Amino acid sequence: MPPSDVGIQLRGGFQWGAMGQVADYTVTVANGPSFSQSGCSDNTPPSSQPTCSSVALVGDTISSPNTIRLNTHSPAFGARIRVYPLPVDSRLGRLELGASTYNGKWLDGYWFNAWGVDFNYFRKNLQARGEWLQTYRQMPSPDSADNRQGWYVQVGYFLTGLKLPGLPQSANQLLAKFEPLVRYSGINQRATVQSEIITTP
């Protein structure tokens, strides 16, 4: 969800199987995304501001929470569902699977679509999590679609209960608070080239 959105949210959950086999959902309606651009307001229709095609750049960041705009375009819709397929007493651990989507218009007519899937897994001291996210932003210039993908996978192990011989108790207590982990992440998006950057008024 863009942090600058203003809207309403509906949340709920239900049990669909044994104890711990539950699901929850979130549905949102908000005013829609906006992007940090210089010299081009996303409250102005594209037809009345032709310079937007040269100012709106691939890779623009989503507006920060301090830049809340009540945009005039149609609202954005978001949804998320999260499922726990394993019961609480399963020896396989605890698994959470989630999927999210967000779709709205910016600049009074250009689409911004995002979707992602994620997981969280815990078994005793082992934890693993990961996420894949993909976004598509329609641009004023048809030759510069703003497509982005990002992902990460992380595996960690809590050292709770670990006691190494030869170390004082205080050192073992400190060591037990650590969680070594390995993380792999990446991002894929087209870079902004020099010819797209306006350097004159």
Side-chain angles (χ1 to χ4, degrees), residues 10-11 16 25 29 32 51 55 99 104 120 137 155 164 188 194 201:
L10 173 67
R11 301 179 65 183
W16 56 270
Y25 60 88
V29 180
T51 58
V55 176
N120 286 281
R137 183 167 67 123
V155 178
L164 297 180
N188 179 29
Q194 184 67 33

Side-chain angles (χ1 to χ4, degrees), residues 138-162:
Q138 189 180 14
M139 300 292 287
S141 172
D143 299 327
S144 60
D146 193 359
N147 301 325
R148 313 182 198 186
Q149 298 88 34
W151 63 90
Y152 79 90
V153 177
Q154 176 179 301
V155 178
Y157 191 86
F158 296 98
L159 299 182
T160 306
L162 178 65

